[in-house]
């Protein structure tokens, strides 16, 4: 569970929930099915419409697969893919012409092609867009997309009105964002989200909700021997996505969870050893505490 866990095995998402194209996922021999969210040079990014919830701290993994094919497809198509060998990267990569487009029967003003194209063109990173639904009663689209800062798996919600011209809604963070820090000029790593108190708007109901979570410290203590080498703790730079950090406090703890009062020696050196870095952050929507183990050399 150390740092960003890259899920290399392609997970078959076969569920019975309805999707935005008005169909239901049924068990089949397809290797992968989902919406196309990107197209480039004869290959298409197929993203599962069913995120996998792993735990309350970093719960969302979304299966995604780059598919090279001679078929002509488009962003917003819902497809089933039958593939052989798959390159175990994230997203995975494969080549096949065994692709079936599942027709849409939605009675909506906007098409999935228009919605996904608009969202994808406004994302800075690979467009991992999932959980796409159309609510015919409320005349709205709801979806989640992946924020890719330091490769984390945070999903952000969005509500889009079913009208033209299409206008994207504001991002909705249903839990605190992942927090990364720079250990040098080139390398960034994410911290464990240990606990939080968070207020957010449910994208389906529009209601305000409160979420509380705490990961037992024992889960983090187990990683004490896998510490991150850190040379200059006073120059730690915290980074998140487009949520503003209102206030932050960084505290270093020893193995017994006692606060290290003096992190810099009088001669300007650092006490060699392994410590916990405890970061408390205040956002507009609530507070979050992040932790990880670091090592001074």
């Amino acid at each position: 569970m150390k740092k960003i866990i890259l899920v290399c095995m392609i997970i078959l998402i076969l569920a019975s929930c309805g999707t935005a194209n008005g169909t239901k996922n049924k068990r089949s021999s397809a290797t992968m099915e989902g919406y196309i969210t990107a197209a480039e040079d004869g290959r298409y990014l197929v993203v599962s419409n069913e995120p996998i919830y792993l735990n309350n701290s970093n719960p969302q993994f979304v299966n995604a697969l780059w598919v090279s094919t001679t078929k002509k497809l488009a962003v917003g198509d819902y497809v089933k893919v039958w593939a052989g060998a798959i390159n175990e990267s994230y997203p995975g990569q494969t080549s096949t012409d065994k692709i079936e487009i599942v027709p849409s029967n939605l009675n909506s003003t906007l098409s999935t092609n228009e919605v996904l194209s608009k969202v994808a063109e406004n994302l800075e990173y690979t467009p991992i867009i999932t959980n796409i639904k159309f609510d015919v009663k409320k005349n709205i689209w709801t979806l989640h997309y992946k924020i890719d800062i330091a490769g984390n798996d945070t999903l952000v919600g969005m509500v889009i009105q079913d009208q033209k011209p299409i206008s994207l809604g504001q991002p909705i963070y249903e839990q605190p964002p992942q927090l990364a820090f720079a250990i040098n000029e080139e390398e960034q790593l994410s911290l464990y989200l240990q606990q939080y108190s968070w207020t957010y708007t449910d994208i389906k109901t529009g209601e305000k909700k409160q979420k509380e979570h705490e990961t037992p410290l024992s889960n983090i203590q187990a990683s004490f021997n896998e510490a991150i080498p850190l040379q200059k703790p006073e120059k730690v730079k915290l980074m998140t996505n487009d949520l503003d950090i209102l206030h932050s406090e960084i505290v270093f703890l020893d193995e017994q969870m006692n606060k290290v009062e003096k992190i810099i020696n009088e001669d300007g050196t650092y006490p060699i050893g392994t410590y916990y870095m405890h970061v408390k952050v205040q956002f507009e929507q609530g507070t979050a505490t992040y932790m990880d183990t670091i090592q001074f050399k």
Side-chain angles (χ1 to χ4, degrees):
M1 187 178 175
K2 190 65 181 174
K3 307 290 120 349
I4 301 308
I5 302 176
L6 294 180
V7 183
C8 295
M9 297 299 295
I10 298 300
I11 302 174
L12 304 182
I13 311 301
L14 298 170
S16 59
C17 299
T19 62
N21 64 358
T23 66
K24 288 186 180 292
N25 294 334
K26 297 180 180 180
R27 290 192 175 275
S28 71
S29 57
T31 306
M32 169 84 178
E33 64 178 85
Y35 283 102
I36 294 175
T37 64
E40 57 179 45
D41 301 326
R43 69 173 190 159
Y44 302 88
L45 181 61
V46 181
V47 178
S48 169
N49 205 40
E50 301 293 337
I52 301 171
Y53 291 86
L54 303 174
N55 56 61
N56 288 325
S57 176
N58 190 11
Q60 303 127 331
F61 171 72
V62 183
N63 196 16
L65 182 64
W66 279 108
V67 181
S68 296
T69 182
T70 59
K71 287 183 173 290
K72 298 299 181 184
L73 306 170
V75 171
D77 288 348
Y78 191 89
V79 298
K80 291 185 176 183
V81 178
W82 287 262
I86 294 175
N87 183 334
E88 294 178 355
S89 57
Y90 185 78
Q93 300 179 59
T94 191
S95 179
T96 182
D97 281 338
K98 295 181 180 179
I99 301 174
E100 174 189 334
I101 300 177
V102 179
S104 172
N105 58 1
L106 289 175
N107 184 21
S108 57
T109 300
L110 300 172
S111 66
T112 53
N113 306 81
E114 292 171 312
V115 171
L116 292 184
S117 293
K118 184 68 173 180
V119 175
E121 72 183 27
N122 282 273
L123 295 182
E124 183 178 351
Y125 304 100
T126 301
I128 304 296
I129 309 168
T130 186
N131 208 19
I132 303 147
K133 312 287 183 183
F134 175 64
D135 189 322
V136 65
K137 293 182 179 180
K138 296 183 178 179
N139 227 31
I140 60 171
W141 295 80
T142 59
L143 54 84
H144 289 82
Y145 60 91
K146 183 177 176 182
I147 293 291
D148 195 0
I149 178 168
N152 76 71
D153 295 325
T154 298
L155 288 175
V156 177
M158 180 177 286
V159 177
I160 300 173
Q161 299 297 320
D162 186 43
Q163 61 187 25
K164 295 183 179 181
I166 184 171
S167 177
L168 300 184
Q170 293 298 312
I172 298 173
Y173 292 84
E174 298 171 355
Q175 68 177 51
Q178 285 293 107
L179 190 71
F181 72 99
I183 60 175
N184 53 50
E185 292 183 357
E186 298 179 353
E187 192 173 5
Q188 302 172 11
L189 291 173
S190 291
L191 300 172
Y192 289 114
L193 178 55
Q194 192 259 325
Q195 66 179 15
Y196 58 83
S197 176
W198 200 251
T199 302
Y200 69 98
T201 302
D202 188 290
I203 66 172
K204 294 181 180 179
T205 65
E207 298 175 350
K208 289 284 186 180
K209 290 190 175 182
Q210 181 77 19
K211 183 186 290 187
E212 306 278 344
H213 168 73
E214 182 172 0
T215 299
L217 288 175
S218 58
N219 291 7
I220 299 174
Q221 287 174 316
S223 67
F224 198 79
N225 293 326
E226 303 174 15
I228 305 165
L230 191 63
Q231 294 181 342
K232 295 183 178 181
E234 81 280 8
K235 293 187 177 180
V236 167
K237 181 181 179 182
L238 300 177
M239 295 169 293
T240 184
N241 40 51
D242 54 358
L243 279 187
D244 292 334
I245 296 177
L246 303 181
H247 176 74
S248 65
E249 179 184 5
I250 300 176
V251 176
F252 293 95
L253 311 173
D254 62 21
E255 190 170 359
Q256 287 73 44
M257 290 292 177
N258 299 315
K259 182 178 179 180
V260 179
E261 298 293 343
K262 208 171 184 181
I263 203 62
I264 303 178
N265 296 326
E266 292 181 0
D267 61 359
T269 61
Y270 307 97
I272 295 174
T274 302
Y275 302 88
Y276 293 105
M277 186 166 69
H278 183 279
V279 185
K280 187 173 183 180
V281 181
Q282 177 71 49
F283 298 97
E284 185 176 346
Q285 291 178 243
T287 59
T289 300
Y290 303 82
M291 290 188 72
D292 215 325
T293 49
I294 55 95
Q295 186 178 65
F296 299 146
K297 292 186 173 182

